[in-house]
Amino acid sequence: MQKTVHKYKRGETIGRSTEKILDALTLDEMFEKFMTFKKTEALAPRTIREYYIHFDYLKEFLGNDLTNENVTLEDFRGYIAICFTIKNYRQ
């Protein structure tokens, strides 16, 4: 019986780690990766459009394209508060 030889050990990564890749992404880049995934879920065209609309609202609120290191929980909480007050969204 021949023994199986594995090239890499479990958990071993090659090159850059996932954490390092994500550190370098802007919100726009992360959103495009997210939308690529969402488009594979066979969502309605309206749902896809609304994702883009709401992301544009978020970028308008933040004022520019931040990296994931620069955006904070308070930024998202502030945006959600705006959505429920000024934009009059319902839960």
Side-chain angles (χ1 to χ4, degrees):
M1 184 170 174
Q2 189 175 9
K3 185 176 180 180
T4 304
V5 178
H6 296 284
K7 202 170 190 177
Y8 301 101
K9 295 178 185 175
R10 280 191 191 162
E12 188 175 323
T13 59
I14 304 168
R16 294 169 54 177
S17 70
T18 304
E19 184 177 317
K20 293 296 179 192
I21 292 170
L22 290 178
D23 285 346
L25 296 177
T26 64
L27 285 178
D28 280 326
E29 292 166 334
M30 288 185 285
F31 180 73
E32 284 308 317
K33 286 182 177 290
F34 171 75
M35 289 307 297
T36 298
F37 175 76
K38 294 310 267 182
K39 289 174 184 177
T40 66
E41 295 182 327
L43 299 173
R46 178 180 174 185
T47 302
I48 297 295
R49 277 192 312 274
E50 296 221 357
Y51 274 118
Y52 281 100
I53 290 167
H54 289 283
F55 184 65
D56 286 341
Y57 291 156
L58 174 64
K59 287 192 311 185
E60 181 182 322
F61 174 78
L62 294 174
N64 56 3
D65 189 22
L66 303 172
T67 65
N68 62 324
E69 294 175 332
N70 296 59
V71 70
T72 65
L73 180 59
E74 288 76 26
D75 292 328
F76 286 109
R77 286 183 176 159
Y79 172 69
I80 291 168
I82 292 294
C83 288
F84 284 116
T85 56
I86 295 174
K87 299 216 180 276
N88 199 24
Y89 294 135
R90 305 272 184 236
Q91 287 183 331

